[in-house]
Amino acid sequence: MNKNTFSIGFVGLGLIGGSIAKSIRRIFPDTEIIGFDVDQNALSLALEDHTLTRTVSSIEDMCDCDYIFLCAPVHYNIEYLPVLKQVIKSSCILTDVGSVKSDIFQAIHDCRLDSVFIGGHPMVGSERSGYDAANDRLIENAYYFITPSEAVASDKIEEFRTFIEDLGAIPLIYTPDRHDEITAYISHIPHVIASSLVNLVASKEDEKHMLKQLAAGGFKDITRIASSNPVVWQHILLSNPTHIVEGLRTYITDLEDLIAALQTGDEQKIYTFFESAKNYRNSVPEHATGVIRMNHEVYVDIPDEPNALAKTVSFIGNAGINLKNVGITHNREDNEGVLRLSFYDGESACQAATLLKEHHYTVYER
């Protein structure tokens, strides 16, 4: 089928839905893209920038769509399924973008939509949310899980896989259960552990709040994801309990083994604990796009003199590089510069590092 003549519907135009819609518009400019969202402002913006061809006030009006992307919160997506069941074509491919598959697949099965549903999960994210944050290259070079139900025809799966590849993403085909297991171990459980570590340190805080003042470098790196939205993570954990509980129990067992090694003075076991982690960590690709959002930061040494900070930042601003945040690091346990500069993407961070080096700054790239 010629995707330029496709009709594609989007239920929800937030960060993910909006970005996929923009990618489609850029790559297949003649595609009819139809939008439905309770957020009228998002629909207006998508019409103004010509991402959407038109909007609809009811998902029943998506009856002629060839693809429908469910990009609303999962409980809303599930509520829409009985209506979609009555109107979509048998040739339609229905998909979603959620990070957990068990709930949506159960609902799909209950509505007997198995033959048209191919689950999806682009491994992307951002600090920002909503259509304002969407961009037409968010999923480019990012892994994109494709999780078809067993009832979907193989030619439909291949068609959708090719479509996702055409959008610039890297499709990975897995069963829904294996997807949930993978994301539990590389995303959901790390968020739990990061939050538990922050809570542990907070429990030992004193009235001078010195732990908070001293927490920098490595501590802030490994706990950064603990700043995520607690409501979102409450829902994720409750949607994927089996794999998360299994992983946490394994993690607890590993910690208990380490405690035993410490109590008995088992030097080899302690060494192996760190060595195995180091070896696996060093084998992880440096520039791959994964489930957990990357942090693009550059650390810089600056002199302790008037206007030093303003001068450094002005170099970056005058070069047209978009700076996200600026911070001062007083704890330099990891041999980093005192000035922390954060950027929205890796390219901007690299450009800033190069520019500052040209002005003879000592730069520590992350």
Side-chain angles (χ1 to χ4, degrees), residues 145-157:
F145 277 109
I146 294 175
T147 59
S149 69
E150 294 180 358
V152 177
S154 59
D155 58 338
K156 272 193 173 183
I157 299 171

Side-chain angles (χ1 to χ4, degrees), residues 23-74:
S23 296
I24 295 170
R25 177 61 70 214
R26 174 173 58 85
I27 298 169
F28 301 110
D30 296 326
T31 303
E32 180 184 45
I33 304 179
I34 303 169
F36 170 83
D37 201 310
V38 295
D39 182 356
Q40 293 301 311
N41 183 57
L43 294 178
S44 297
L45 291 173
L47 284 172
E48 288 173 10
D49 67 15
H50 305 294
T51 294
L52 292 183
T53 309
R54 59 188 175 93
T55 66
V56 294
S57 57
S58 170
I59 57 173
E60 293 176 342
D61 296 326
M62 292 187 173
C63 56
D64 292 325
C65 288
D66 297 290
Y67 291 171
I68 296 177
F69 283 82
L70 300 174
C71 306
V74 65

